[in-house]
Amino acid sequence: MICIIVIFCVTLQQNRSMMENPFYITGIIPEPYFCDREKETLWMVRTLDNKAHILLFSPRRMGKTQLIRHVFEHPAIKNSYYTFYTDIYPTTSLHELVMFLSKEIYSVLLSKGKAVIDKFLAGIHSLAGSFGYDPLTGFPTFDVKLGDIHTPELTLEEIFRYLEQADKPCIFAIDEFQQISQYPEKNVEATLRAFIQKMNNCLFIYAGSNRHILENMFNSATKPFYNSAEQLFLNSIPKNVYTSFAITQFISQGRKISPEAAIYAYDLFEGHTYYVHNLLHNAFAYLDPDKLIEEADINKTLDDMLEDKGRTFASVMNQLNYQQKETLIAIAKEKEASGVTSVAFVKKHALRSPSSVQYAISTLLDKQLLTYQDKGRTKIYSVSDRFFGMWICKTY
Ligand SMILES: Nc1ncnc2c1ncn2[C@@H]1O[C@H](COP(=O)(O)OP(=O)(O)OP(=O)(O)O)[C@@H](O)[C@H]1O
Ligand SMILES: [Mg+2]
């Protein structure tokens, strides 16, 4: 009898540990775990079908990359196009852009067989030194290094020529596209735009989170990319849609969360996708599976998360000087801070002076610890990482 009970308990435990966490926080999200974005997906598929390029922008961590991946999995896209995706956030020059684009094409074509790869490599003469053949399999290899790219504009032309001649139409998503405006080479935007304008076989999705730079690139009449893409601003998923999704995900794994707790989790971050999703991921992972999750459990999960992250946050704080620290703390406490260089703001938070705040803010923006939105003529600042903002408020 005891033996049967032990086996039952062990099996129950195993089933519990085999439960899939439906709140994905890394990688590509499989269909049943992807939440909403139905209108946006449909709009993007239609826009691409109508042969228009897309500019997709949103605050950081709202879900741009996941949306692009989702659109690429849509049958109307998957069956008719070659799709490419590269995140150029780490790039700081045209050389690196060329490297990222060519590596992505090679990695996508890898699964399409030797003939397809051969055709690609045959078109990129300027990088011939980076090609080879695997001695065992005879498969073509491509190992481009930055130093191999001597004529980035020529390689770019060859890459685009290849895409133009591909046997299917192509869609190339370039994430964090605003990076190109920071490259030291002259006229990068004009060069890229000139190539893209001539293409009939390839559509582009330009994505990014720096609204200010992207709007400047696409909305000012003097800029090369002016008016060259249909624009989509991605907001948070509506509250009722996200919370019913969350409740259903818990139920589908034999678990329960109260509607109030789901709404509470959403409201803590105004529905900012990554943060709410991360919180529910942890609630699912660490709370007692037999318990109905309520608001207090969400608070407990959040406290644990902030404590876990505390060491990293503390070391970020340690790298700031006194003025930067006190400015960051003041903005975290306001949550959304405007008029930060006004005497009133300086007084309220006992800061040194408007000019010291201004100086600190510019460093904090460079370090990406702060972000801002333009509202009319005023800038509204907030801490970029919402968890960090919460941790600051609790700690200081
Ligand atoms: N539609 C969705 N369904 C479920 N989870 C989502 C969805 N969109 C985003 N997420 C969650 O938010 C996280 C961040 O999404 P994503 O990486 O797409 O944001 P992003 O806007 O590209 O961020 P960044 O600005 O940092 O590049 C995902 O890893 C996932 O946990
Ligand atoms: Mg992204």
Side-chain angles (χ1 to χ4, degrees):
M1 185 61 183
I2 291 175
C3 188
I4 293 173
I5 293 174
V6 169
I7 291 172
F8 176 76
C9 290
V10 169
T11 317
L12 194 71
Q13 204 53 42
Q14 277 173 347
N15 284 343
R16 289 259 182 250
S17 62
M18 272 159 38
M19 261 184 198
E20 177 142 30
N21 192 321
F23 299 95
Y24 276 61
I25 49 169
T26 50
I28 299 177
I29 306 178
E31 179 57 45
Y33 308 118
F34 184 84
C35 175
D36 188 40
R37 300 301 191 202
E38 288 176 17
K39 270 194 227 140
E40 293 89 348
T41 303
L42 207 63
W43 182 88
M44 286 181 71
V45 170
R46 285 214 186 115
T47 306
L48 293 166
D49 259 348
N50 285 318
K51 307 258 168 290
H53 307 294
I54 292 174
L55 168 63
L56 170 64
F57 55 138
S58 79
R60 287 216 57 201
R61 296 177 161 184
M62 198 55 92
K64 298 175 294 296
T65 304
Q66 292 297 346
L67 174 60
I68 295 171
R69 297 285 193 192
H70 188 64
V71 166
F72 282 179
E73 288 302 309
H74 191 284
I77 301 296
K78 197 174 180 157
N79 300 333
S80 312
Y81 295 87
Y82 287 135
T83 54
F84 305 93
Y85 168 90
T86 189
D87 180 342
I88 62 167
Y89 190 67
T91 67
T92 51
S93 68
L94 191 60
H95 288 71
E96 288 164 77
L97 175 73
V98 165
M99 178 164 131
F100 274 56
L101 296 180
S102 52
K103 279 197 162 186
E104 168 62 7
I105 297 178
Y106 178 75
S107 77
V108 168
L109 298 185
L110 260 184
S111 63
K112 319 260 179 236
K114 184 170 178 302
V116 177
I117 295 269
D118 276 337
K119 187 178 169 201
F120 168 58
L121 297 183
I124 316 287
H125 303 286
S126 60
L127 293 184
S130 316
F131 311 154
Y133 283 93
D134 185 314
L136 289 179
T137 61
F139 206 82
T141 58
F142 178 55
D143 183 20
V144 61
K145 306 203 172 49
L146 272 182
D148 297 336
I149 303 170
H150 301 295
T151 49
E153 289 194 16
L154 176 62
T155 311
L156 201 60
E157 191 176 350
E158 289 172 341
I159 289 173
F160 286 158
R161 196 179 308 134
Y162 168 77
L163 294 173
E164 198 53 10
Q165 291 165 2
D167 58 344
K168 271 195 205 176
C170 303
I171 301 172
F172 215 124
I174 308 182
D175 212 344
E176 306 299 351
F177 188 66
Q178 71 274 349
Q179 279 306 115
I180 72 159
S181 70
Q182 316 287 322
Y183 294 171
E185 291 92 348
K186 283 203 180 104
N187 304 327
V188 173
E189 289 176 45
T191 309
L192 260 181
R193 178 76 191 119
F195 285 137
I196 291 173
Q197 215 157 8
K198 284 189 232 142
M199 297 176 83
N200 289 316
N201 198 43
C202 188
L203 293 163
F204 287 83
I205 299 173
Y206 314 105
S209 35
N210 194 324
R211 187 173 187 168
H212 187 64
I213 302 183
L214 287 170
E215 281 189 343
N216 186 20
M217 282 169 82
F218 285 83
N219 294 349
S220 30
T222 53
K223 294 289 197 152
F225 277 90
Y226 175 62
N227 235 346
S228 67
E230 299 291 324
Q231 302 187 6
L232 176 64
F233 182 76
L234 196 63
N235 255 315
S236 43
I237 297 170
K239 196 193 293 195
N240 59 338
V241 178
Y242 185 86
T243 49
S244 349
F245 165 86
I247 293 167
T248 313
Q249 292 301 337
F250 273 98
I251 292 173
S252 71
Q253 302 291 332
R255 306 269 301 263
K256 278 198 210 119
I257 182 168
S258 76
E260 293 75 17
I263 291 170
Y264 181 67
Y266 182 98
D267 286 343
L268 275 172
F269 301 101
E270 283 112 22
H272 201 147
T273 323
Y274 165 83
Y275 299 95
V276 191
H277 220 65
N278 221 314
L279 180 57
L280 293 184
H281 173 95
N282 277 37
F284 188 96
Y286 301 117
L287 292 172
D288 174 359
D290 297 320
K291 190 180 180 312
L292 167 72
I293 297 173
E294 297 185 278
E295 281 152 274
D297 304 308
I298 295 292
N299 275 332
K300 160 97 178 59
T301 306
L302 181 59
D303 285 347
D304 291 347
M305 288 174 81
L306 296 182
E307 199 178 316
D308 274 357
K309 292 172 186 286
R311 259 188 174 278
T312 317
F313 291 153
S315 79
V316 174
M317 285 306 247
N318 284 343
Q319 286 158 26
L320 302 178
N321 68 26
Y322 189 79
Q323 272 85 36
Q324 292 157 0
K325 238 185 217 178
E326 64 176 3
T327 305
L328 189 64
I329 295 167
I331 292 174
K333 300 231 158 167
E334 292 277 325
K335 224 172 156 203
E336 294 204 319
S338 56
V340 288
T341 49
S342 67
V343 175
F345 187 87
V346 168
K347 243 187 166 171
K348 179 173 173 194
H349 294 283
L351 303 172
R352 184 167 297 179
S353 67
S355 62
S356 77
V357 171
Q358 183 134 40
Y359 198 62
I361 282 184
S362 106
T363 315
L364 294 168
L365 284 172
D366 281 348
K367 290 180 183 284
Q368 301 206 13
L369 296 177
L370 283 185
T371 181
Y372 69 87
Q373 298 160 265
D374 284 312
K375 270 206 182 134
R377 286 185 171 192
T378 47
K379 283 193 175 8
I380 317 262
Y381 292 93
S382 53
V383 178
S384 309
D385 180 333
R386 287 176 181 255
F387 288 132
F388 190 25
M390 283 177 164
W391 179 85
I392 292 174
C393 288
K394 277 185 71 164
T395 311
Y396 290 89

